[in-house]
Amino acid sequence: MLPCRFSPYLRHAALGLAALLASQSLASGALAQTTSPAAARDKVAIFFDNDFLGPGQSNIQSLIPLLRDDRVKLLGIGVVTGDAWLKEEAAHALRFLEIAKRPEPPVHLGAQMPLIRTQAEMANWEARYGKVPFKGAWSTPRPGRTYHPQDPDLIPPMPEGEPKLKASEEDAVHALIRNVRAHPGEVTIVSAGPLTNIALALRIAPDIATLAKEIVIEPGKLDTAVARVTGNTDYATDFNFIFDPEAAHIVLTAPWKKITVMGNVTAAAKATQEVVDRIGAAGTPVATYVKTYARIGQPLWDEITVAVAVDRSLVTEELVARMDVDTFAGPSYGQPVVWKSDMAPNAGEREVHIVRAIDVPRFLETFVAQASK
């Protein structure tokens, strides 16, 4: 384990309190359910957790492969504060499900705050070590954006329209636990946002790590220092780890059967004008939504993450290494750390499959077709 930036007592007390509060409905989460029939087992069972900044952009667009690929059995959608506040994100996700005419996947609200990190602490960190280019829900208001860092419950006007669909009464943490226990060995957990919900689930029900088929996570960018200086600093910053480093550490050190880290490869394809125009030409509700709200030039981070979780044959190169996240109070707080197996400290870090390259043309061809439906 990397050194903790808080005293052991405070760390354990904070995480223990979070788990205690969340565990009030644990009994219902542990109820046994029948496993899926043979036909359903042929599908890829996915529980998807994300921070759904919207409208459009990578967060929301990552739902497209899950809703349009017949191989996917989407068990649930978890929402976590990250790029925006929880309630605002959930509203955008629900509205997109309506537009896509797929109202059936349940949407579950999860953690509204990171395990330990706060706005005040991040501001203190910035004063010592430099600016965090994008702070998600905590971003400073500016023209053209609807950031509201001091008002978590605010849902700004939604240009795509307000949803009539409602979120499930079951929270994301217990929905994840319930689904993994109900389908042992079958569920792929996909996380494209901060890992707070997954970490809380592990603290309440550690058995989900061994019961899940795999976990696939979007963050894990490596060797980005030069890119942060020479290119888009925001795009070269691993926000999902930085926003909740302790959650990332908990997830990366749990005994999963397999951990897949996407990291740098999620920038392999972008929402270019050509790609967006091809989608928009279809004229369907989803295609029109993408045409209207896609951010031109933005990497397809979350879309690539989901696509690989569904179809592993997209991967053309990967590296197996040990990985953890730095939780020490210093300039590398929240950054991933990797080792060769024989060089690792063997303090809980696990082997991860780091995807280095994918079949970009095939990914784009498939995504354009899915988004055009």
Side-chain angles (χ1 to χ4, degrees), residues 27-282:
S28 63
L31 291 178
Q33 295 188 8
T34 56
T35 55
S36 48
R41 282 199 297 269
D42 294 334
K43 291 180 174 276
V44 182
I46 288 179
F47 189 96
F48 184 44
D49 196 83
N50 204 358
D51 50 344
F52 293 100
L53 174 68
Q57 306 183 53
S58 185
N59 303 88
I60 298 292
Q61 290 162 188
S62 63
L63 287 167
I64 292 172
L66 299 175
L67 300 176
R68 294 299 190 238
D69 193 316
D70 292 337
R71 295 170 294 182
V72 173
K73 179 180 180 181
L74 184 54
L75 300 173
I77 299 168
V79 185
V80 64
T81 288
D83 284 352
W85 286 110
L86 183 72
K87 293 180 181 178
E88 176 184 355
E89 294 172 340
H92 286 295
L94 288 164
R95 179 58 182 143
F96 183 74
L97 293 178
E98 292 178 339
I99 292 169
K101 295 180 172 54
R102 286 293 308 275
E104 68 279 4
V107 174
H108 306 273
L109 273 65
Q112 184 163 272
M113 291 288 291
L115 297 183
I116 293 176
R117 191 151 218 187
T118 65
Q119 293 186 58
E121 181 277 328
M122 183 177 280
N124 289 336
W125 186 94
E126 287 183 296
R128 290 187 176 191
Y129 303 113
K131 296 292 185 183
V132 175
F134 175 67
K135 291 181 277 293
W138 301 342
S139 295
T140 303
R142 67 176 189 262
R145 298 298 180 93
T146 58
Y147 300 134
H148 45 100
Q150 304 305 323
D151 193 351
D153 294 328
L154 175 67
I155 300 177
M158 298 176 58
E160 75 273 39
E162 296 182 2
K164 293 182 173 60
L165 277 178
K166 302 297 182 184
S168 169
E169 293 185 1
E170 183 181 28
D171 67 83
V173 174
H174 288 91
L176 172 59
I177 294 169
R178 174 177 56 78
N179 277 289
V180 171
R181 285 176 167 171
H183 307 281
E186 297 179 20
V187 179
T188 295
I189 301 168
V190 184
S191 176
L195 290 155
T196 317
N197 288 343
I198 317 300
L200 285 170
L202 285 165
R203 281 296 188 249
I204 296 169
D207 61 305
I208 66 168
T210 55
L211 289 175
K213 178 181 179 182
E214 177 183 12
I215 183 166
V216 179
I217 66 172
E218 184 275 339
K221 296 179 177 67
L222 300 169
D223 301 323
T224 58
V226 173
R228 291 199 298 271
V229 175
T230 59
N232 187 314
T233 305
D234 177 13
Y235 289 178
T237 300
D238 213 335
F239 169 78
N240 290 330
F241 277 175
I242 290 172
F243 194 71
D244 197 340
E246 287 73 26
H249 166 73
I250 290 170
V251 172
L252 285 171
T253 54
W256 307 98
K257 291 186 178 76
K258 185 175 183 180
I259 305 172
T260 295
V261 173
M262 298 301 296
N264 303 56
V265 78
T266 59
K270 296 182 179 180
T272 63
Q273 189 66 63
E274 186 267 340
V275 167
V276 172
D277 286 345
R278 285 173 59 195
I279 294 170

Side-chain angles (χ1 to χ4, degrees), residues 222 259 319-323 337-341 349-354:
L222 300 169
I259 305 172
L319 168 69
V320 178
R322 302 284 187 93
M323 178 180 283
V337 185
V338 291
W339 302 267
K340 294 168 63 176
S341 291
E349 71 283 346
R350 303 278 173 176
E351 282 193 344
V352 302
H353 295 254
I354 302 169

Side-chain angles (χ1 to χ4, degrees), residues 268-270 275 278 300 359-369:
K270 296 182 179 180
V275 167
R278 285 173 59 195
L300 298 171
D359 186 338
V360 174
R362 185 157 68 88
F363 160 74
L364 284 173
E365 180 182 1
T366 302
F367 180 73
V368 169

